[in-house]
Amino acid sequence: MTSSLKGQVAVVTGASRGIGLGIARELVQRGAKVCITARNAEPLDDAVRDLGGADHAIAVAGKSDDPAHQEEAVARTMETFGRLDMLVNNTGINPVYGPTLDTDPVAAAKIFAVNVLAPLAWTRLAHAAWMGEHGGAVVNLASIAGIRASRGIGMYGVSKAALMRLTVELAAELGPDIRVNAVAPAIVKTKFAEALYEGREEKVIRSYPLGRLGVPEDVAGAVAFLLSADAGWITGQTLVVDGGVTLGGGL
């Protein structure tokens, strides 16, 4: 990457650990300031310290699909930093495992509320607060589960497919001043994905041509690229970051 993010400000949801914290760290290293969100205040406070303290980051605790939390985070970002150039919709949930037909409707609705409708709401608020007048960039965290069958996590995959479609629609509607893209990782070694590889990692990585699972830094670099001016002619796209597993392997 050739473009610095110095002077720019981002909101990164779900960023107290894992991929979200990795993304926030990458953005700070490239000169940006960030507002990070997650459900619990204590790990967020730890994350702010990890990011260099109040000069670089603030944190707002709350549920990603809670409108009051969304509004507070965006308002705090504007009050603290005076702008909002970048939005990373990282928060995602998958509270169920098993056949898609057996998914409880209440659980399915919650998955869509967090994984699809919340990113739409965050984007709407970022647009109203700053991006609509000044421009900006949005990156949604999708998954390869949204581009092929993923047994056991089918409804999660359906939600990520919808998020990728939402990315396309928003990109078409918000250009030319706002770019909207997505990143679709395969298995990344985080607490969220432990059930997909724990105790059988060597078997799982046989399907990966690059010979390993992902780490948060793999995704963070891709997100930072899509947010930067280096990706200034890219919008409405989903960048697959998967170690090559979709070339023919399986989860």
Side-chain angles (χ1 to χ4, degrees), residues 73-122:
V74 171
R76 286 272 308 279
T77 301
M78 294 299 298
E79 290 166 5
T80 305
F81 299 124
R83 58 192 298 154
L84 175 48
D85 309 278
M86 303 175 288
L87 171 65
V88 181
N89 287 307
N90 172 69
T91 302
I93 63 167
N94 181 42
V96 296
Y97 185 87
T100 304
L101 282 179
D102 294 343
T103 304
D104 179 79
V106 174
K110 184 65 174 179
I111 291 169
F112 268 78
V114 175
N115 294 1
V116 183
L117 298 181
L120 174 60
W122 283 99

Side-chain angles (χ1 to χ4, degrees), residues 212-230:
R212 65 174 176 87
L213 301 182
V215 293
E217 291 76 12
D218 294 318
V219 180
V223 171
F225 163 70
L226 288 173
L227 291 171
S228 78
D230 287 336

Side-chain angles (χ1 to χ4, degrees), residues 47-70:
V48 168
R49 285 190 288 271
D50 177 274
L51 294 170
D55 289 341
H56 302 283
I58 62 170
V60 181
K63 295 181 179 179
S64 181
D65 60 335
D66 177 9
H69 165 63
Q70 297 163 355

